Amino acid sequence: MDLDGKVALVTGASRGVGQAVALELARRGADLVLAARTVDQAHEAMPGTLAETAAEVESLGRAAHVVRADLTDHESTAALADQALAWRGRVDVLVNNAAFLGRAAYFSLDETELRHWERQLTVNLTAPFLLARLLVPAMRSNGGGVICNVTSGAGLIGEYDVPGIGYGTTKAALNRLSTLLARDLRSDGISVFAVDPGYTRTVLVVQTAEAAGMDASEAHDPSVPATTIADLVEADLAVSTGRVFKAVEGRGPVVTADSGLPMPDGVEISLD
């Protein structure tokens, strides 16, 4: 129970990677603030609700606080931060997992209207910025914290075959935001990093794989990125085992979750 007494806020926690991360943090002792739009009434084609995630968290012996939040709305995002802090007076871990992954994520330039572009920017980039801005003061007051931004290989500059211009653009910006926040917040004892979950077998991936030209059978289980994120969170909080997560010169690396692969250069988990 290395995270006993810690409070973690996970966005997009009703299903997929967000749900898996929330449950893994709960297994390690954290209490959870769970945020998403789907509270107790699942969409017909998209199973998973915050109520179901909360029930699983509580079955693990941890507390869960459910907050309905629409990250396309700045006021709703701000209210999420307020409610998260009001619950226990602290948020030690912020996992910005929620992302816009509707059809517009695969649109070409000609298909992408301004409303599609702005929605992706708001959910994928502005919401993580706003939550960090609102929660960092409390992290400072409590001696530190961790911010994990869930990114994507779509954000890496280089050859990328999956169609769409908006999603990759926002994830590239999120990667850069992560490195700059890591630089600016390390003196406050707040660690910031981004994790690319890799090709993960979520309901949405299964539903959209064909349109994206991918094979969902090649995807790994959500437990793979969830374990990576939880390991880094534990290490960055300098838990009782003495593990410390170090990004070279505070650059806040982008870590790719893939079972069996070693940590990339620039990342060290030590037992000193």
Side-chain angles (χ1 to χ4, degrees):
M1 304 291 265
D2 289 334
L3 300 182
D4 189 37
K6 304 297 184 183
V7 176
L9 164 57
V10 180
T11 65
S14 57
R15 61 182 68 91
V17 172
Q19 183 182 62
V21 170
L23 296 180
E24 186 60 31
L25 293 176
R27 288 186 190 96
R28 301 184 190 212
D31 294 323
L32 273 298
V33 179
L34 305 169
R37 290 180 299 172
T38 308
V39 176
D40 52 19
Q41 206 68 20
H43 298 293
E44 184 176 344
M46 189 64 65
T49 66
L50 290 180
E52 292 169 356
T53 305
E56 291 195 56
V57 168
E58 290 165 355
S59 74
L60 294 168
R62 309 313 305 174
H65 181 55
V66 168
V67 180
R68 186 189 185 281
D70 180 355
L71 300 186
T72 66
D73 181 334
H74 299 325
E75 292 185 1
S76 180
T77 303
L80 166 60
D82 289 343
Q83 292 181 55
L85 289 172
W87 184 47
R88 292 288 173 84
R90 64 188 299 139
V91 171
D92 304 285
V93 179
L94 167 61
V95 180
N96 286 309
N97 165 75
F100 176 83
L101 281 169
R103 287 187 303 160
Y106 304 103
F107 283 178
S108 67
L109 176 64
D110 292 335
E111 296 171 305
T112 303
E113 299 178 13
L114 181 59
R115 62 189 175 90
H116 301 140
W117 180 260
E118 291 181 336
R119 185 178 178 88
Q120 292 181 76
L121 281 173
T122 300
V123 176
N124 300 355
L125 182 62
T126 304
F129 156 77
L130 185 56
L131 287 172
R133 191 173 188 279
L134 294 171
L135 295 174
V136 158
M139 289 183 179
R140 284 195 187 107
S141 297
N142 288 314
V146 177
I147 298 173
C148 170
N149 294 320
V150 178
T151 184
S152 166
L156 300 178
I157 296 175
E159 186 174 347
Y160 190 71
D161 296 330
V162 179
I165 64 167
Y167 184 70
T169 300
T170 59
K171 290 301 187 178
L174 183 65
N175 290 346
R176 189 54 173 155
L177 176 65
S178 301
T179 65
L180 297 177
L181 290 179
R183 177 199 66 193
D184 291 353
L185 298 178
R186 59 177 174 162
S187 62
D188 296 309
I190 299 171
S191 172
V192 185
F193 57 86
V195 171
D196 170 9
Y199 193 36
T200 304
R201 192 170 52 255
T202 64
V203 172
L204 191 59
V205 161
V206 171
Q207 291 178 345
T208 61
E210 185 175 353
M214 306 289 282
D215 181 357
S217 68
E218 298 177 354
H220 54 221
D221 190 80
S223 63
V224 173
T227 299
T228 298
I229 289 170
D231 283 347
L232 296 177
V233 166
E234 275 191 351
D236 272 348
L237 287 174
V239 294
S240 58
T241 57
R243 290 184 295 176
V244 179
F245 173 75
K246 300 174 182 177
V248 173
E249 297 180 358
R251 287 199 295 266
V254 176
V255 176
T256 300
D258 196 349
S259 55
L261 290 182
M263 287 294 171
D265 290 342
V267 179
E268 176 187 350
I269 295 182
S270 68
L271 295 174
D272 297 333

